[in-house]
Amino acid sequence: NAGVTQTPKFRVLKTGQSMTLLCAQDMNHEYMYWYRQDPGMGLRLIHYSVGEGTTAKGEVPDGYNVSRLKKQNFLLGLESAAPSQTSVYFCASSFGQPNQPQHFGDGTRLSIL
Amino acid sequence: QQQVKQSPQSLIVQKGGISIINCAYENTAFDYFPWYQQFPGKGPALLIAIRPDVSEKKEGRFTISFNKSAKQFSLHIMDSQPGDSATYFCAAEALIYGGATNKLIFGTGTLLAVQP
């Protein structure tokens, strides 16, 4: 019973490098979300998707892109990494109905040098 | 108006004591208030949630108290245990432009340490 799986778990990048974070869910959830977690700032929504082939901007979308080509996968891309993007990234998914819980993965810890 | 303010930032409680975490919001359109619990190295997990049409919800040792007029809600952990040591986030659900999505606005988190 995997739930929400994020890969990789850790990554160190140099400024200017690009990478993609992968999120996969096996709960047939319609909605998926990417958050970043920084000390003292809680979780902030980067981008989200309300269904396959759709994406939308969240609270802090600059510097990130996303794609939802398959219902079970949600990719977060950093085209040109910056030190300000050092953070822990969490993916979540839900059925998308009001008052339904979001299910989170265990995060990707990303350091940009 | 989209913020959820959470306090305290950190909390130390003795085993068996009561832990209290407070949150406040401004947006009256919020209609669902969950609390998430996060252990080190793990993602947040739903702990307990409440809707504004009730003033209190209890699940085991965990209770949410909700004050709609004051736009405040709080989490009470009774008989706190060392295993409760974690970071707790309050959140509020908002609609986006009237659309049907459960976008959550999170508080900044409270690091709880329960000493044995």
Side-chain angles (χ1 to χ4, degrees), chain A residues 7-44:
Chain A
T7 53
K9 296 186 185 305
F10 304 95
R11 187 73 183 268
V12 178
L13 290 179
K14 295 181 179 179
T15 297
Q17 287 184 318
S18 64
M19 80 160 296
T20 300
L21 281 64
L22 173 64
C23 177
Q25 54 94 5
D26 62 1
M27 296 173 282
N28 200 33
H29 283 164
E30 201 66 38
Y31 289 18
M32 297 187 74
Y33 311 81
W34 276 106
Y35 293 90
R36 59 177 291 172
Q37 183 177 21
D38 302 290
M41 303 189 74
L43 293 120
R44 293 181 292 168

Side-chain angles (χ1 to χ4, degrees), chain A residues 31 33 35 37 40-43 45 48 50 58-59 90 94 96-107, chain B residues 9 31-32 36 38 41-46 51 87 89 93 95-96 100-109:
Chain A
Y31 289 18
Y33 311 81
Y35 293 90
Q37 183 177 21
M41 303 189 74
L43 293 120
L45 184 65
Y48 64 100
V50 300
E59 183 184 357
F90 286 98
S94 75
Q97 299 301 314
N99 304 173
Q100 290 294 307
Q102 292 185 15
H103 298 263
F104 285 80
D106 286 338
Chain B
Q9 188 173 0
D31 69 347
Y32 176 65
Y36 281 77
Q38 183 182 28
K42 298 294 185 181
L46 179 67
R51 286 183 53 85
T87 300
F89 293 96
E93 180 176 295
L95 296 178
I96 302 177
T101 177
N102 59 339
K103 176 185 176 185
L104 291 175
I105 308 297
F106 283 89
T108 52

Side-chain angles (χ1 to χ4, degrees), chain A residues 40-58:
Chain A
M41 303 189 74
L43 293 120
R44 293 181 292 168
L45 184 65
I46 304 171
H47 285 281
Y48 64 100
S49 168
V50 300
E52 181 179 323
T54 72
T55 63
K57 294 181 180 180

